[in-house]
Amino acid sequence: MTLSVRDAVLQRRSIKLFNGQQVDKKAVMKILDDAKWAPNHGNRQPWRIVVGAEEQMPKVHELLRDMAVPKWQELSEDALAIQMKKFTLAGAYAFVLVTEDVRQKERLEDYAAAACYLQNVQLLAWEKGIGTCWKTPGFLDNPKFREALNAKPHERVISMFQFGYYDNVPNVRTRKELSEFVTEFGQ
C-alpha cells in the first residue's frame, strides 16, 4: 500500500494491542534505514538503535519480564502470561538511544532529531501495514536495562519502540483546533 504523506500522517495510530504475529527483521531494518533521512542539526544523526526481532525475542521478553513485572517468580504461569501480554504480542522491538551532549542546546537538538527519526519510523511502518507504539517505561534508566542494551555513559535510552501487526485500528482521538494552538505574530 502506498500512502501520500498527508494520508500517513492523518491515518497513523499508536497500536497498543498487537496480534502476536512476528515482524520480519529485514522489514524492521529497512524501515530503520529509510527513517535516517530525518532532519537533524549538523547531520549528527545522534541516535543508536538496538533491535530485538525474530530469534532475539525470547531474550527481549526475558529482559522485559525482569524489568517490568515485580516478583514475577511468585506468579502462576497464567498470571505471568497475562502480565507479559503487553510485551509478548509485539512482533519486534527497537530500543532507541540518543547521545547526551554536555551542551544543553545540542542535547535538545539531538533529542528533537531523534523524535523526528521516530516519527519517520512510525510513518514508514504504517505504510507497510505495521503498527508501532513509542513507549517510555520507567525502567529505561535502570542500570540493568542500560547494561543489557550496552548503553554508553553518554547515551540516554529514550524509547522502547514496539512493532507489530494488528487486527483493529484504534478510533481517532480528537486533536485541538488550530485556533487553540496557533496565534499570528504580533497578536
Side-chain angles (χ1 to χ4, degrees):
M1 137 171 89
T2 300
L3 297 173
S4 70
V5 173
R6 183 179 189 279
D7 286 344
V9 168
L10 296 179
Q11 293 173 18
R12 186 210 57 82
R13 302 285 176 270
S14 292
I15 302 297
K16 295 182 181 166
L17 182 59
F18 297 104
N19 64 18
Q21 181 182 346
Q22 292 290 304
V23 177
D24 182 66
K25 189 187 305 184
K26 287 180 184 172
V28 171
M29 298 304 238
K30 175 70 171 142
I31 291 165
L32 296 174
D33 188 42
D34 288 348
K36 70 185 175 195
W37 294 97
N40 61 93
H41 296 82
N43 198 26
R44 288 192 296 267
Q45 301 176 58
W47 46 78
R48 183 168 73 84
I49 316 299
V50 177
V51 174
E54 296 176 354
E55 70 277 359
Q56 291 108 11
M57 291 300 279
K59 287 289 190 187
V60 169
H61 294 155
E62 183 179 305
L63 174 64
L64 296 175
R65 178 201 64 205
D66 292 350
M67 293 290 106
V69 183
K71 301 181 181 180
W72 65 266
Q73 302 92 333
E74 298 173 16
L75 298 174
S76 70
E77 196 173 305
D78 290 340
L80 179 57
I82 290 168
Q83 291 283 317
M84 288 296 295
K85 200 172 183 180
K86 62 186 167 193
F87 303 119
T88 56
L89 290 179
Y93 281 85
F95 301 97
V96 182
L97 298 90
V98 175
T99 303
E100 285 233 296
D101 198 299
V102 295
R103 301 166 295 178
Q104 182 182 22
K105 177 182 175 287
E106 286 77 2
R107 187 172 57 251
L108 293 173
E109 289 172 348
D110 289 348
Y111 185 87
C116 291
Y117 174 83
L118 283 171
Q119 175 70 357
N120 281 0
V121 170
Q122 290 174 313
L123 295 173
L124 290 162
W126 191 258
E127 180 187 40
K128 295 183 181 314
I130 299 170
T132 58
C133 195
W134 179 346
K135 296 194 175 266
T136 56
F139 59 77
L140 295 182
D141 289 324
N142 183 303
K144 289 181 180 180
F145 187 75
R146 290 179 53 79
E147 182 181 333
L149 298 182
N150 196 25
K152 309 294 185 256
H154 66 279
E155 292 178 320
R156 175 123 195 228
V157 184
I158 66 162
S159 174
M160 176 180 81
F161 203 82
Q162 295 177 314
F163 292 85
Y165 294 101
Y166 50 93
D167 296 324
N168 299 303
V169 175
N171 293 330
V172 174
R173 294 178 59 181
T174 60
R175 300 291 199 253
K176 292 180 181 179
E177 292 296 324
L178 187 66
S179 62
E180 295 179 74
F181 63 92
V182 172
T183 55
E184 292 185 39
F185 183 79
Q187 302 211 355

